[in-house]
Amino acid sequence: MPVRVRFAPSPTGFLHIGGVRTALFNWLFARNADGEFLLRIENTDRGREVEQSVEQIQRSLSWLGLDWDGEVAFQLDRLERHQEAARALVGEGKAYEDEGAIRFRMPDEGTTSWDDVIKGRIEFPNEKLEDVVLLRSDGRPTYNFASPLDDAEDAITHVIRGDDHVSNTPKQIRILEALGAPLPAYAHVPIVLGTDGRRLSKRHGAVSVEEFRAEGYLPEALMNYLALLGWSYDDRTELFPRDELVRVFTLDRVGAAPATFDYSKLEHLNGVYLRALPPEDYAHRLFAYLRETGFEGDEETVRAAAPLVQEKIARLGEFPSFAGFLFEPVAPDPVLLDGSAPVLAEARETLAGVDPFTAEQIEAELRSLAERLELKPRQAFQPIRLAVTGSTISPGLFESIELLGRDETLARLSAASGPGSPPDAS
RNA sequence: GGCGCAUUCGUCUAGGGGCCUAGGACGCCGCCCUCUCACGGCGGUAACACGGGUUCGAAUCCCGUAUGCGCCUCCA
């Protein structure tokens, strides 16, 4: 029997990073087995439905490269079949009417159990299973009825979902049995916690895929990180390109304990992916990202600056604060510039005569200038960096100067060394 | 409260009776490289929740306790 899994979010908001990980595990499992990955929207609670969320969910999955098979399904579209099934159960005495709603008759004795692919054997005493509502009085099915029914109809072989569904599972198993439907395998993946040890929520900084995207994370890095949250291949391998992940992923290596989301590790991994990009790709993706976020620098300069920042930043979103000086005027802190006027004036003079105006030539001449002035390289270069880039942190100084161009560089040096700059120039 | 699940460095994890004086990664600290920041290199800090068993031997098996999380909705 071919593997068939589904990701079944409710359209109650954006795709949360914990949900994405569940989707990822489903997708990896399906692709690894050459099976199918379906997307089903569980919208039986119309009241909580959030507009645009279905589009957003699809956009987030697509961005991450989690492609689904077939059309997106909507639970409510199968309303008739749900009602039919409920009526049949009532007819067989397995369910009964209760003030307009239909309830399922759960067994009172014995236990219901299954071998969870991730958590092992789980057993529930039947006396704890209440008679769940199948159909609300308005005729709409509830989640615990619609979900297993749809799974059966879609021939889902493995239900891979968050472990907050563990206690629903025995109920769904009983319903499926009453329906005479085959049981899928269940794999309950632990939830993702925020840094405060609580379930990840909006309190924890970025949690939606869109936010990570906006901050300049690469989808492949996020995927790699998410895969490592609760799953591991061995005791040392951490870098998994997408295809490799698909090849080696197995459910039995998913851990049973909840994991805490670690932003700094994600950032580290993102930096690794960013640095590994071929320079052309890097420039291209950097520019595409900046455009998306509304940054208005010209493409030529962005592309030229790309190699200067590739080794330096871990998120594309750091670009503006790091290389923004190439696109807009700077305002260096006069206090930090105090006493630097002489060096800056000398540098200005030197740079006025550098020819050709290349990083290599600029470096050579500024170094000899430092020597002449008997200054250590950093003593000479730091004020220049400040004057030219407006910050004590910047890409390589000489490359930056070359890119900025001679005129602008000289102007900035003048401005920083000119009268009125140092408060106590007299 | 009931039921369920979980519990190895701060975090993600390796580990499935002797290979563990517990390995890797992120973070953190120090040193080196160095025009700043990063990268890179080297070194360091740091964990088997607790208590009982089982066994010649337990991080690994069993029981209990504690703690955390989840569910207990005509939510999903």
Side-chain angles (χ1 to χ4, degrees):
Chain A
M1 188 162 52
V3 161
R4 237 162 124 86
V5 300
R6 85 299 194 275
F7 176 56
S10 60
T12 49
F14 57 77
L15 199 48
H16 179 280
I17 204 69
V20 174
R21 193 189 57 148
T22 302
L24 174 62
F25 285 179
N26 270 288
W27 181 84
L28 287 172
F29 181 73
R31 294 293 171 250
N32 171 273
D34 245 330
E36 288 186 69
F37 171 68
L38 310 184
L39 179 58
R40 184 169 73 221
I41 306 296
E42 310 224 307
N43 59 342
T44 49
D45 187 2
R46 297 266 280 296
R48 298 204 316 160
E49 201 160 330
V50 173
E51 222 179 321
Q52 304 293 308
S53 62
V54 174
E55 289 78 9
Q56 191 170 30
I57 286 167
Q58 296 186 60
R59 204 182 322 131
S60 294
L61 290 177
S62 298
W63 180 69
L64 272 172
L66 305 185
D67 55 325
W68 56 92
D69 299 296
E71 297 294 307
V72 178
F74 292 85
Q75 197 151 60
L76 228 39
D77 292 349
R78 308 185 191 185
L79 186 62
E80 315 269 298
R81 263 159 295 178
H82 296 144
Q83 295 177 337
E84 208 172 289
R87 275 196 297 270
L89 287 176
V90 172
E92 293 171 48
K94 292 172 177 170
Y96 58 91
E97 194 156 338
D98 174 31
E99 291 176 13
I102 292 181
R103 283 186 187 274
F104 184 77
R105 218 183 284 284
M106 285 290 172
D108 310 311
E109 296 173 355
T111 58
T112 300
S113 62
W114 74 97
D115 288 305
D116 197 274
V117 179
I118 291 171
K119 293 176 182 283
R121 186 153 197 86
I122 300 180
E123 207 169 77
F124 280 83
N126 288 339
E127 54 176 327
K128 298 297 175 190
L129 306 180
E130 73 274 25
D131 287 0
V132 295
V133 170
L134 263 24
L135 244 39
R136 301 169 166 95
S137 11
D138 67 2
R140 281 156 45 235
T142 58
Y143 162 79
N144 273 320
F145 184 48
S147 188
L149 203 53
D150 290 351
D151 287 341
E153 189 169 312
D154 289 337
I156 296 301
T157 57
H158 300 254
V159 171
I160 304 169
R161 63 195 353 178
D163 74 358
D164 46 333
H165 287 295
V166 167
S167 42
N168 288 325
T169 305
K171 303 171 196 166
Q172 298 179 2
I173 286 177
R174 287 303 178 190
I175 291 172
L176 249 15
E177 283 175 351
L179 255 16
L183 297 181
Y186 291 98
H188 287 98
V189 318
I191 58 165
V192 179
L193 306 175
T195 37
D196 58 358
R198 304 188 66 83
R199 187 176 184 163
L200 205 61
S201 74
K202 287 172 191 162
R203 283 194 308 277
H204 303 85
V207 289
S208 74
V209 172
E210 309 241 304
E211 284 171 288
F212 286 101
R213 179 180 187 170
E215 288 180 11
Y217 289 98
L218 258 28
E220 55 267 48
L222 187 57
M223 178 188 281
N224 194 149
Y225 175 73
L226 249 21
L228 256 22
L229 247 200
W231 172 87
S232 69
Y233 176 66
D234 58 17
D235 65 336
R236 53 196 64 245
T237 318
E238 300 224 289
L239 232 46
F240 293 95
R242 182 186 151 107
D243 291 349
E244 184 66 4
L245 210 46
V246 166
R247 202 174 67 75
V248 303
F249 183 84
T250 55
L251 281 177
D252 60 287
R253 290 203 60 87
V254 174
T260 305
F261 197 92
D262 183 355
Y263 291 89
S264 62
K265 185 149 186 176
L266 200 216
E267 180 147 328
H268 162 79
L269 211 52
N270 200 59
V272 171
Y273 272 86
L274 241 23
R275 275 177 255 119
L277 245 30
E280 259 308 299
D281 289 359
Y282 184 86
H284 179 76
R285 296 177 68 162
L286 173 63
F287 183 69
Y289 164 81
L290 291 173
R291 269 288 171 275
E292 219 172 81
T293 55
F295 181 85
E296 302 192 350
D298 65 287
E299 177 162 8
E300 198 188 345
T301 309
V302 170
R303 283 180 172 277
L308 308 196
V309 303
Q310 185 165 11
E311 281 235 344
K312 309 273 188 180
I313 63 178
R315 281 184 299 109
L316 262 15
E318 292 176 67
F319 183 84
S321 70
F322 200 68
F325 70 93
L326 292 167
F327 305 88
E328 51 190 29
V330 296
D333 182 348
V335 175
L336 296 176
L337 241 23
D338 192 23
S340 308
V343 199
L344 297 180
E346 292 274 2
R348 185 188 185 289
E349 199 166 315
T350 299
L351 288 172
V354 168
D355 183 51
F357 201 72
T358 61
E360 202 180 317
Q361 196 59 229
I362 291 165
E363 173 164 12
E365 304 210 14
L366 283 182
R367 282 192 188 280
S368 63
L369 168 67
E371 245 175 82
R372 252 186 295 124
L373 297 177
E374 295 187 328
L375 290 172
K376 288 185 176 175
R378 65 180 306 165
Q379 292 176 309
F381 300 155
Q382 203 57 356
I384 300 175
R385 179 192 320 283
L386 196 53
V388 172
T389 72
S391 167
T392 55
I393 299 170
S394 80
L397 180 59
F398 317 114
E399 292 80 2
S400 295
I401 290 175
E402 177 189 336
L403 249 184
L404 231 207
R406 192 195 308 264
D407 293 349
E408 184 60 25
T409 301
L410 298 187
R412 291 186 184 183
L413 286 169
S414 299
S417 64
S421 252
D424 55 347
S426 57

